Amino acid sequence: MKSRPKKSQHRAAFEAIYERHSREVWALVYARWLNADVALDIMQETFLRLWKQWEEGSDIVNPRAWVLRVARNLAEDHAKSAFRRYGTQAPQTMNGVQGRERLPIEGMAQAETYSQLRRELELLAPADREILTLRYALEYDTEQIAQMLEINPTAVHMRLSRARQRLAERLTAQGVEASHD
Amino acid sequence: MTEIPTKDGNHPEMDAMLHDYFKSEMPRPWPGFKAPAETQILKPAGFWSRNTGRLALAACIAALMAGYFALAGNFPRTSAPNDVVREVGPNSAKGFEKPRHTIEE
């Protein structure tokens, strides 16, 4: 029987796991929903569940695999609950709606560009969105993405290129001008 | 209309735009983990702690009764001026009270 580590060590070990994998969990859920708040909520819920398992003394061999699996399930559950809440309207339809606060003029053009980009991202396959999110939000290279998604690096490279090309074509067709800080 | 170039088609602007977009979506600063407040699991209460109130009440009643009987023995019984003895038994009429003089004249 394993002796339980001290409380502070126990917590430190958990926080290390959180620090290492929470962004990956967020990215995975974000790719599914393209909603930063939903991704954050589900990420926190995932780690809360992991924490409870730890507190109960469950032996989780691979915490990364565990949190990724739980996050995927929660994201799918959110799909079902979102359907109940919004009927046939997916919550993404509200993404383009701006808040009451007025944006500064210079920010409005960028917000519009991002809104169009989000709409185009929604049309991509979820797997392609995952790759794009890992590449650009977490700055993972092809090898890291391949390892995380358990696919061939060549497939990652091809899908990344194809997704970028498709996005560029669609945005160009809409007259979106690429601008960044 | 400006053409958006991609890395693959020699369009580095697309790369930069995606990078900026995803970075803007990520929460900043990244939130730390907040462990829920430690919950104490309450043990089921034992017999004594569960029934303290009842036991105290029973003890009070017992003390009162014991006190009553103990004190009652210490005081002589005084008879009422018109001593009335209620007859009970099979031969007594219901509700009939017969005065009986206990002191012989």
Side-chain angles (χ1 to χ4, degrees):
Chain A
M1 191 178 151
K2 273 197 291 184
S3 61
R4 284 202 69 162
K6 281 183 192 169
K7 213 166 189 177
S8 58
Q9 289 175 332
H10 184 67
R11 196 185 164 90
F14 184 86
E15 282 173 355
I17 288 176
Y18 175 83
E19 191 57 37
R20 216 175 301 137
H21 303 305
S22 58
R23 288 170 180 80
E24 286 180 343
V25 171
W26 180 90
L28 201 71
V29 183
Y30 180 83
R32 174 71 178 81
W33 285 104
L34 291 176
N35 185 320
D37 294 332
V38 168
L40 195 61
D41 285 349
I42 291 177
M43 183 270 283
Q44 285 174 338
E45 175 63 25
T46 302
F47 279 92
L48 199 63
R49 290 185 182 198
L50 180 65
W51 174 256
K52 282 179 186 164
Q53 293 286 317
W54 270 52
E55 286 290 274
E56 288 166 13
S58 302
D59 196 15
I60 295 169
V61 180
N62 187 345
R64 186 197 200 193
W66 193 95
V67 290
L68 291 176
R69 192 180 65 246
V70 169
R72 277 185 201 277
N73 290 340
L74 286 173
E76 289 312 311
D77 288 348
H78 181 77
K80 291 169 199 161
S81 60
F83 181 78
R84 276 203 300 274
R85 250 180 282 138
Y86 301 102
T88 52
Q89 296 293 314
Q92 293 98 310
T93 51
M94 300 298 284
N95 286 353
V97 178
Q98 298 297 330
R100 273 175 286 179
E101 286 177 29
R102 287 182 66 84
L103 289 168
I105 294 293
E106 61 269 21
M108 287 177 77
Q110 190 186 48
E112 178 57 28
T113 304
Y114 285 175
S115 176
Q116 281 179 298
L117 179 57
R118 192 181 292 116
R119 279 197 290 272
E120 293 305 326
L121 285 168
E122 281 168 18
L123 299 174
L124 293 178
D128 290 347
R129 286 204 301 263
E130 270 182 16
I131 293 171
L132 284 171
T133 311
L134 292 171
R135 173 73 191 90
Y136 292 104
L138 304 190
E139 296 177 346
Y140 278 14
D141 60 25
T142 308
E143 289 292 331
Q144 286 172 302
I145 296 170
Q147 193 249 328
M148 186 178 163
L149 299 180
E150 296 174 343
I151 52 175
N152 195 320
T154 314
V156 173
H157 186 74
M158 280 180 65
R159 286 166 85 162
L160 198 54
S161 305
R162 200 177 52 206
R164 274 192 300 232
Q165 187 67 36
R166 200 175 301 162
L167 279 173
E169 284 167 8
R170 285 180 178 161
L171 289 172
T172 304
Q174 289 179 18
V176 176
E177 195 173 330
S179 63
H180 68 98
D181 303 327
Chain B
M1 189 161 65
T2 313
E3 195 172 314
I4 301 170
T6 66
K7 204 176 206 175
D8 320 284
N10 300 318
H11 304 291
E13 288 295 316
M14 188 69 221
D15 239 11
M17 184 205 260
L18 284 167
H19 183 269
D20 290 348
Y21 168 76
F22 280 104
K23 285 290 171 191
S24 75
E25 289 288 278
M26 283 192 82
R28 266 181 302 182
W30 190 254
F33 177 73
K34 284 180 201 150
E38 210 166 302
T39 49
Q40 273 192 329
I41 299 165
L42 294 172
K43 287 181 186 171
F47 172 80
W48 294 109
S49 53
R50 255 187 294 138
N51 296 310
T52 310
R54 287 176 190 175
L55 289 169
L57 182 65
C60 284
I61 292 168
L64 275 171
M65 288 179 73
Y68 170 75
F69 287 121
L71 292 171
N74 291 340
F75 296 99
R77 292 188 73 178
T78 53
S79 51
N82 295 322
D83 196 8
V84 174
V85 175
R86 185 189 295 265
E87 279 196 4
V88 287
N91 298 326
S92 67
K94 270 189 182 175
F96 176 75
E97 287 177 355
K98 188 173 99 181
R100 196 175 67 176
H101 296 279
T102 52
I103 304 164
E104 287 182 9
E105 289 180 22

